[in-house]
Amino acid sequence: MRSDRVPLSAFDEALQLTRRLWSADDRQSNELRARHLQAVLFSSPWTLGATLLNVLLCVWVLRPHIGGIGFDIWALTLTLWSSMGLFGWWRGRKRSVQRVRPKVVRHATWNAAALALTWGLLPAIWWPDLAPPHQLFVALLVVGNLSGGAIALAPLPSAAWAFAGLQMASGWVALQRTGGEVGLSIQLLLLLYTTVLCVASYAVARLLAKRHLSEESAAQQGEVIGLLLRDFEESSADVLWEIDVQGRFMNPSERLAELLQRSPDKLARLGLVNALASLQAPGAGGGDRLRQTLVRGEAFRDEVIRVRFASAAGEPERTRWWSVTAKPVFDHEGRAQGWRGVISDVTAERKSHQHLNYLAHFDSLTGLANRVSVRNRLAQLVEQAAGAEGRRGALLCLDLDNFKNINDSLGHSVGDAVLQEMGKRLRKLMRKSDLCGRLGGDEFALVLDDLRSTDEALQLAQRLVAAMRVPVELSGLQVASGVSIGLALVPEHACSVDEAMAAADLALYAAKAEGRGRVHLFTAELGSSQRRRLDLERELREALVRDQLRVVYQAQVDLKTWRITGAEALVRWHHPQLGPISPAEFVPLAEKTGLIHNIGAWVLDRACSDAGGLLQGLCIAVNVSTAQVQRASFVNELRAQLGRHRLRPGQLEVEITESLLMENVNEALQNLHAIKQLGVRVALDDFGTGYSSLAYLRLFPFDKLKIDRAFVSELMQASDARAIVRAMLELARVLGMSTLAEGVEEPAQLEVLTRVGCSAIQGYLTARPMPASELAALIARWDGLPRPAVTEPLPSSIQGELNEALRGR
């Protein structure tokens, strides 16, 4: 917005300041006058003392040559004037004046003018009759009075100008009476000097006025900041604190005293570190770390410490987590004055983080390790088996028999109870050195370490089969089940985690095929799947050349607008002899053989071409493998594709999985940041099913979090699935990410996802994967298609969960 205010000239600004000091009667002007008057009074004893000294010198030097009663009256008048001024200053030297009315400035101006006139009588009357040496004395006296008076009265421009002007006039009269060309030159010089002094006195007054206004503005801002801080402390859970250089509290508030369980008076004598140390558990290092941080004198954030509080009799102590943030305070000369900071109670966040971390490594239903932990432990076993001669282990994959029938006939709550009971039985039978985990659904795994023989593993597996065969009693109901087990030995059957999992899975399938309730050890005959992989690998090398691959798109629908805003590019392989081959089967092969780079580049080129053609206006998501993103040239390939197809970066989204961040983290993060700098969106795919960890979400600011279909498929059956989905959505909301749920196939799932705040969905409920032309046609007629709606109300239990979640938000 333009301002119509015209800047003032220097002359107008001078007149404005003078007018304000002379006549304005508002509060701010009165305070300004008081500051200027105080500045004049500060030098008053020196100026009045100099006046007395000048009078004495005049009497001593000039009295013998002038004589007469007139000179004596003149000298006596100045002496009395100066003495009365000194007496008045002495009486009011300790009085602090905050506001001054305009008449005081006017009085001071008339007083200065009268003083100047009195001094002006000396050169105006007696100058022509004096000898040259005495004329020089009077000239120096006039110049000294002129300069000293203008400087001393500078905070009050009207008084300074009156004094200087009248002093100049008296000198002008004296020189006029003398006459001559030299006298005229001196008159002009006197006029020039007086003008300079008047301008200088105005500059001093202007600087003093600006300083006062700045201090007043700073004081007002300080009051506002103080009010805001008090309001912040009253309305926030955070507590402000301030300490001096010795670490002692300064002006502790009631909130701080209540938090630290000390009175404000006691806190004023107590240091921050000591107050916190008294609340810490023995051995906790938070206080020591905080002390070392303060000693370094550097600002710090989120120094977390654990404190304990006594509870009522018979109850355990309460543990809280506090986050301390602070920065050092310095004076205007850079000297340390102490610290100022805030204490935040982060107990809830800490517990939430621990809970999410628990969910990332443990199964929420059974309390057993999850797939991530099983794979990590199996990786350790494989490494130990390869490094230590004779060290053996085994992997047991377990699958409950007829569990689907239990779920379908008795309900998911009974099924969950059966899974929990099976988990308890597994824990009882396993050794302390072994790890038992739930892989998902009714699949379990047992990692056996340091086996002495194959028979030891087989015997344990048979005991598990026998224990699981015992019916589960639930509220008087006996539920019969069983378990089939596949067994793979390490290192005999596998030299990697994936090989061990594959071998155990093959053995498990064989056990089920033999009639369930059995144990099957992996054999070479079960490796026929490996032969299929070799055949697929050979054919895959020719698939691109023979034009056997194609790209299809599955629509992504925004839940707020119910419009198709994006699509995921999916690669499909249809072999002339082998038929359709699942991406889950050939993509891992492509990654293993390095063919993924050529296939990925081809898919990216097709997706960019369609994004700039038939699918303009959509954001196309492309899955990229770990091997692709870790290549140094991938970012340049991405940039080249955008330029070739003239795409805006926002039209493309790269989807990665968490496995990318498991190896070569620094290189992967460098490439991801380079992709973000291009403007291309980055989505985290299948969150919660692989190596889920909150650490990855902190390492890189993803644009989108994709919820795996495994959770979506159980939304209507498992309460833990709904809880995990809500936790993911809340986590994404806090981190500023959008969300998309995959595999949505039922209107009820759509209803639940909409109510818990999911951003978008993708699945067969809205559209199957299809060629770009068919998707373009679907978009054209989309507005005429109805939004899927539930035909029956959601179950009351789910309704209650959703309502409670909404209230919590």
Side-chain angles (χ1 to χ4, degrees):
M1 180 177 178
R2 295 184 56 187
S3 175
D4 294 331
R5 182 178 178 182
V6 179
L8 296 175
S9 65
F11 180 74
D12 291 335
E13 192 175 355
L15 289 179
Q16 188 181 68
L17 177 60
T18 305
R19 190 182 301 115
R20 184 172 187 181
L21 292 173
W22 183 265
S23 60
D25 200 15
D26 56 280
R27 179 193 60 79
Q28 192 178 55
S29 298
N30 290 339
E31 292 177 354
L32 180 64
R33 265 189 295 272
R35 289 291 298 272
H36 284 235
L37 187 62
Q38 290 283 1
V40 172
L41 292 176
F42 176 78
S43 61
S44 292
W46 302 99
T47 55
L48 292 172
T51 299
L52 283 175
L53 180 61
N54 286 341
V55 172
L56 292 176
L57 287 174
C58 286
V59 171
W60 181 42
V61 174
L62 301 178
R63 179 72 177 79
H65 305 284
I66 295 179
I69 189 65
F71 182 81
D72 294 337
I73 293 174
W74 174 84
L76 181 61
T77 300
L78 286 176
T79 301
L80 291 175
W81 201 323
S82 301
S83 300
M84 290 174 62
L86 282 172
F87 179 71
W89 169 84
W90 179 261
R91 286 178 55 190
R93 70 187 187 283
K94 295 182 179 180
R95 186 171 56 186
S96 177
V97 180
Q98 301 299 323
R99 297 179 185 177
V100 170
R101 302 296 296 274
K103 64 179 182 180
V104 176
V105 173
R106 290 196 287 268
H107 177 74
T109 301
W110 292 120
N111 192 44
L115 182 61
L117 283 173
T118 304
W119 270 112
L121 293 175
L122 178 63
I125 297 176
W126 293 294
W127 166 276
D129 300 329
L130 294 175
H134 299 110
Q135 285 182 337
L136 178 61
F137 172 78
V138 173
L140 290 175
L141 190 65
V142 170
V143 173
N145 281 341
L146 175 64
S147 303
I151 293 173
L153 295 171
L156 298 176
S158 58
W161 295 346
F163 185 86
L166 291 174
Q167 281 286 280
M168 181 202 68
S170 65
W172 189 287
V173 170
L175 292 170
Q176 187 68 31
R177 292 181 62 189
T178 303
E181 294 182 0
V182 175
L184 179 60
S185 300
I186 295 176
Q187 283 177 316
L188 294 176
L189 287 175
L190 189 60
L191 177 61
L192 176 62
Y193 296 157
T194 303
T195 302
V196 171
L197 284 172
C198 288
V199 172
S201 65
Y202 160 70
V204 171
R206 182 172 177 270
L207 288 175
L208 188 61
K210 285 191 173 182
R211 179 179 177 183
H212 169 73
L213 295 176
S214 298
E215 290 176 355
E216 186 180 54
S217 176
Q220 291 175 351
Q221 292 176 2
E223 291 178 1
V224 171
I225 292 173
L227 290 173
L228 291 175
L229 289 176
R230 283 195 294 273
D231 182 67
F232 165 79
E233 194 169 34
E234 290 173 0
S235 60
S236 171
D238 300 340
V239 178
L240 305 174
W241 55 268
E242 187 175 1
I243 59 175
D244 58 18
V245 290
Q246 283 77 35
R248 294 188 298 265
F249 283 107
M250 300 172 61
N251 304 316
S253 65
E254 293 290 341
R255 285 281 307 281
L256 180 63
E258 180 182 354
L259 182 71
L260 298 178
Q261 297 187 342
R262 298 286 193 281
S263 66
D265 294 338
K266 186 173 292 186
L267 279 182
R269 302 189 299 272
L270 193 63
L272 170 68
V273 176
N274 293 333
L276 294 177
S278 65
L279 297 173
Q280 284 193 272
D288 294 336
R289 292 196 307 271
L290 184 61
R291 183 182 289 106
Q292 294 169 4
T293 304
L294 292 175
V295 169
R296 288 196 299 268
E298 300 173 354
F300 60 91
R301 290 185 60 84
D302 300 327
E303 183 70 41
V304 178
I305 61 173
R306 185 179 62 174
V307 296
R308 299 190 308 177
F309 294 97
S311 299
E315 296 183 5
E317 291 183 330
R318 293 183 296 112
T319 299
R320 309 292 295 178
W321 294 90
W322 290 350
S323 172
V324 183
T325 298
K327 66 176 183 179
V329 179
F330 301 96
D331 61 14
H332 64 282
E333 295 181 356
R335 293 189 297 257
Q337 299 296 301
W339 291 78
R340 188 176 295 135
V342 63
I343 296 176
S344 306
D345 191 324
V346 294
T347 305
E349 291 87 341
R350 187 87 177 190
K351 290 182 178 179
S352 176
H353 175 80
Q354 291 173 345
H355 179 64
L356 289 174
N357 191 54
Y358 174 83
L359 292 177
H361 293 88
F362 293 90
D363 177 56
S364 60
L365 179 63
T366 63
L368 300 176
N370 65 2
R371 182 182 291 270
V372 175
S373 299
V374 170
R375 289 182 64 92
N376 290 341
R377 183 63 174 272
L378 189 57
Q380 295 176 5
L381 175 61
V382 170
E383 184 178 354
Q384 292 169 357
E389 187 176 353
R391 189 72 177 265
R392 303 177 66 205
L395 173 65
L396 280 69
C397 282
L398 301 81
D399 189 87
L400 298 186
D401 298 331
N402 302 315
F403 183 73
K404 185 176 185 301
N405 294 335
I406 295 174
N407 260 343
D408 293 342
S409 60
L410 300 178
H412 290 279
S413 59
V414 175
D416 290 347
V418 171
L419 292 174
Q420 291 172 338
E421 177 61 27
M422 294 303 179
K424 292 178 182 177
R425 295 180 185 182
L426 287 174
R427 273 195 294 264
K428 288 180 180 179
L429 291 171
M430 61 184 284
R431 304 175 303 177
K432 291 184 178 179
S433 59
D434 301 333
L435 176 72
C436 183
R438 181 187 176 207
L439 301 180
D442 60 342
E443 297 181 41
F444 295 85
L446 189 61
V447 182
L448 305 182
D449 190 17
D450 198 15
L451 281 179
R452 292 187 293 272
S453 66
T454 303
D455 289 341
E456 183 180 3
L458 288 171
Q459 290 170 6
L460 174 60
Q462 293 294 349
R463 290 197 299 272
L464 290 174
V465 170
M468 298 299 180
R469 196 176 287 132
V470 178
V472 179
E473 293 189 8
L474 299 171
S475 303
L477 179 68
Q478 286 195 340
V479 181
S481 184
V483 67
S484 300
I485 300 177
L487 173 61
L489 300 176
V490 178
E492 288 91 333
H493 299 150
C495 296
S496 69
V497 172
D498 291 331
E499 287 180 3
M501 296 288 288
D505 277 338
L506 288 172
L508 175 61
Y509 297 149
K512 285 182 171 292
E514 291 174 357
R516 303 178 185 273
R518 298 175 182 272
V519 177
H520 201 289
L521 180 66
F522 177 81
T523 60
E525 288 75 15
L526 298 177
S528 59
S529 60
Q530 179 67 21
R531 288 191 294 274
R532 174 175 168 81
R533 284 196 295 270
L534 291 175
D535 292 339
L536 290 179
E537 180 180 333
R538 183 181 61 255
E539 295 297 323
L540 186 59
R541 296 181 183 277
E542 302 296 328
L544 270 178
V545 178
R546 296 172 180 172
D547 198 26
Q548 295 175 357
L549 299 180
R550 63 193 181 97
V551 175
V552 295
Y553 300 90
Q554 189 170 32
Q556 297 175 342
V557 181
D558 185 275
L559 290 183
K560 288 185 177 179
T561 62
W562 195 248
R563 300 190 67 83
I564 297 177
T565 57
E568 181 178 5
L570 304 170
V571 62
R572 293 292 185 262
W573 182 18
H574 193 282
H575 192 274
Q577 286 78 39
L578 301 177
I581 301 172
S582 169
E585 191 173 8
F586 72 80
V587 168
L589 274 178
E591 291 180 339
K592 182 179 178 180
T593 58
L595 294 172
I596 192 65
H597 300 300
N598 293 334
I599 295 175
W602 179 82
V603 172
L604 182 62
D605 181 72
R606 291 300 310 155
C608 290
S609 175
D610 289 334
L614 291 172
L615 303 181
Q616 285 187 11
L618 296 186
C619 178
I620 303 301
V622 180
N623 288 280
V624 293
S625 69
T626 299
Q628 285 179 273
V629 179
Q630 288 180 343
R631 289 181 64 185
S633 61
F634 178 71
V635 178
N636 290 331
E637 294 172 6
L638 198 60
R639 184 184 293 109
Q641 290 286 3
L642 292 173
R644 181 181 303 118
H645 297 285
R646 298 181 179 179
L647 292 183
R648 291 180 291 102
Q651 292 180 258
L652 189 63
E653 181 176 87
V654 171
E655 291 187 5
I656 68 166
T657 59
E658 294 165 304
S659 59
L660 171 66
L661 300 173
M662 293 298 292
E663 298 179 359
N664 300 325
V665 176
N666 293 334
E667 182 178 349
L669 286 176
Q670 184 177 356
N671 281 350
L672 287 177
H673 281 291
I675 293 172
K676 284 276 286 187
Q677 289 176 356
L678 285 179
V680 175
R681 293 169 56 84
V682 181
L684 182 60
D685 198 9
D686 298 338
F687 180 71
T689 60
Y691 305 95
S692 302
S693 172
L694 298 180
Y696 305 142
L697 297 182
R698 296 182 60 202
L699 286 174
F700 182 78
F702 294 98
D703 297 292
K704 180 186 291 183
L705 194 66
K706 298 192 70 174
I707 302 172
D708 189 72
R709 65 182 67 248
F711 298 108
V712 175
S713 64
E714 297 187 19
L715 270 181
M716 307 309 299
Q717 293 82 27
S719 59
D720 61 335
R722 292 190 293 274
I724 292 173
V725 169
R726 290 199 304 270
M728 290 180 183
L729 293 173
E730 179 62 18
L731 182 63
R733 185 188 66 80
V734 172
L735 296 177
M737 304 177 189
S738 62
T739 51
L740 183 141
E742 297 180 300
V744 180
E745 299 180 357
E746 302 173 8
Q749 295 171 348
L750 170 62
E751 177 69 16
V752 172
L753 290 169
T754 302
R755 293 179 61 177
V756 297
C758 188
S759 305
I761 64 166
Q762 174 182 338
Y764 276 80
L765 179 65
T766 53
R768 60 176 176 79
M770 60 187 71
S773 58
E774 293 184 18
L775 179 57
L778 175 64
I779 295 172
R781 66 175 188 274
W782 181 260
D783 290 340
L785 299 177
R787 178 169 180 161
V790 293
T791 57
E792 297 179 359
L794 296 176
S796 58
S797 59
I798 299 180
Q799 289 275 15
E801 288 181 20
L802 296 178
N803 292 335
E804 183 177 352
L806 289 174
R807 286 194 296 270
R809 291 168 59 192

